Amino acid sequence: GTVDRIDRTDNRTTRNVSERITGNKPPPEWSTEGYLIPSGSAGTPPDVHELLLNAFGTYANVVSTSDTYSPTDTQGAQDSLTLFDQISYVMSEHLLGAVVQEVKISGGGGGPPKLSFSGFAAQHILTGRSALTGAATAAVVPVTDGSLFQAGSLVGIIDPDGTTVVDTNGDTTGTLADTVGTGWAVVSVSGNNVTLSGSPAGTASLDLMIPFAALPTTAGSPTPGKDFSCTIGGTAVRCTDYEIYLNNNHNPHADEAGNQTIPDYDEGIRTTSGKLTIRARQDWVAWMAERTELGTRSIVMVFGTGAGKILTVTITSCEFEFAQISKPESGVAMFELPFVSLGAMTWVFT
């Protein structure tokens, strides 16, 4: 997260900037990318379920069969998320009130398809690691450097050996590799005294307060690039590259005076768009003519094969836009086929 700092520019006896004024905090922005990984079990959502649900707004499950994500028009249906990025229990960043602004699926050239998400959040929390200077008194824990923690930090306490759990709010035995705790939230920091949301047990001087995040659950394997098909209006085409975007166009309320965090946002006009790159084969060039006729077609992309490993992306109606044709000195001419969806897009994992 950042803070706006504004140069003081009123008339004075010097031309130098000698003071700055604190403004609002812009909304923290975030992004993440990974492989397309279905769960491997039909009717079980993928690991990125929470991100997809926040992006689309509507989710339907058919037991042992399918998981469907589709856009919602209901205001307030897309709840916010808490996102964690924990690095070796030495430091972590996490975002409170995070929302997905854009989701993209892309690939080509035989490479595995990738999923990416980006958005903004209400608040950015940075958490470090510090040794205890004594045992906790109820919920108050004394540490060497309290500046490494903020209200909202999520922490655990471990033994000086760096791996043995002391108390992570739900786990007081074992190691970090097998802990099932949920962590303690930092309520406030006063100097080097950190007040937690509960009273950790068994603490002692030289124990370590660390940034904590629950162990993730993962399932499935990346979808191979070879397991891909695309149809336009029911006709199969072969793409060298493809991109599909869903952009929620949310508007964060970052301009309200006196707010140091984003208090809310409003939903904008959602857009779905994309681009296909196709060889200029005689029959496929017909799609270029669709651009001048302003016609609409459906696009269906299928990723993966086998139960629990398939994603079907369906755009019921889209309009093609204009783009260049690439004509190399040797080789085959290629053309791009950008499109804008005029209807809903659904993602179905089966």
Side-chain angles (χ1 to χ4, degrees), residues 16-75:
N16 298 323
V17 174
S18 57
E19 188 175 4
R20 305 186 82 194
I21 307 165
T22 300
N24 279 356
K25 291 183 179 180
E29 297 181 348
W30 61 272
S31 63
T32 185
E33 182 183 58
Y35 295 115
L36 170 62
I37 305 178
S39 68
S41 178
T44 299
D47 294 338
V48 292
H49 165 74
E50 296 295 342
L51 291 171
L52 287 173
L53 177 56
N54 189 267
F56 283 87
T58 302
Y59 166 69
N61 171 263
V62 178
V63 177
S64 301
T65 303
S66 64
D67 299 277
T68 300
Y69 301 87
S70 54
T72 180
D73 293 325
T74 302
Q75 187 174 13

Side-chain angles (χ1 to χ4, degrees), residues 306-321:
K309 302 177 182 179
I310 299 172
L311 168 62
T312 302
V313 175
T314 302
I315 301 173
T316 55
S317 178
C318 67
E319 182 178 301
F320 297 129
E321 296 190 315

Side-chain angles (χ1 to χ4, degrees), residues 74-294:
T74 302
Q75 187 174 13
Q78 292 164 282
D79 293 333
S80 62
L81 304 169
T82 300
L83 302 180
F84 289 89
D85 184 9
Q86 188 271 123
I87 305 171
S88 299
Y89 299 103
V90 173
M91 66 161 288
S92 75
E93 296 180 281
H94 74 270
L95 297 171
L96 303 178
V99 294
V100 178
Q101 184 78 294
E102 182 179 85
V103 57
K104 178 179 95 169
I105 186 168
S106 61
K114 295 285 191 69
L115 271 181
S116 63
F117 301 86
S118 61
F120 58 88
Q123 187 176 1
H124 171 266
I125 304 291
L126 181 65
T127 305
R129 170 181 176 134
S130 185
L132 274 62
T133 57
T137 303
V140 179
V141 184
V143 297
T144 302
D145 188 354
S147 67
L148 294 170
F149 306 95
Q150 297 177 257
S153 291
L154 191 67
V155 299
I157 298 175
I158 62 173
D159 190 79
D161 67 10
T163 60
T164 304
V165 168
V166 173
D167 195 339
T168 58
N169 191 15
D171 192 359
T172 56
T173 61
T175 66
L176 286 172
D178 57 17
T179 184
V180 292
T182 58
W184 299 102
V186 173
V187 176
S188 63
V189 180
S190 177
N192 292 327
N193 291 319
V194 180
T195 301
L196 305 182
S197 55
S199 301
T203 61
S205 181
L206 299 182
D207 285 346
L208 298 172
M209 181 178 287
I210 61 169
F212 184 81
L215 293 177
T217 56
T218 58
S221 299
T223 301
K226 66 181 182 62
D227 297 333
F228 169 79
S229 64
C230 177
T231 61
I232 301 177
T235 300
V237 296
R238 296 195 296 272
C239 310
T240 59
D241 298 281
Y242 54 85
E243 296 177 353
I244 301 177
Y245 299 86
L246 183 146
N247 194 324
N248 281 304
N249 290 308
H250 294 319
N251 302 301
H253 298 176
D255 56 355
E256 297 182 359
N259 283 318
Q260 287 298 298
T261 58
I262 306 303
D264 203 354
Y265 70 93
D266 57 85
E267 293 96 339
I269 300 298
R270 180 178 53 242
T271 57
T272 301
S273 59
K275 179 179 68 176
L276 308 176
T277 303
I278 303 173
R279 287 187 169 85
R281 208 175 76 173
Q282 177 179 340
D283 50 344
W284 293 341
V285 171
W287 303 122
M288 299 181 66
E290 291 280 346
R291 301 184 293 194
T292 57
E293 296 175 2
L294 306 180

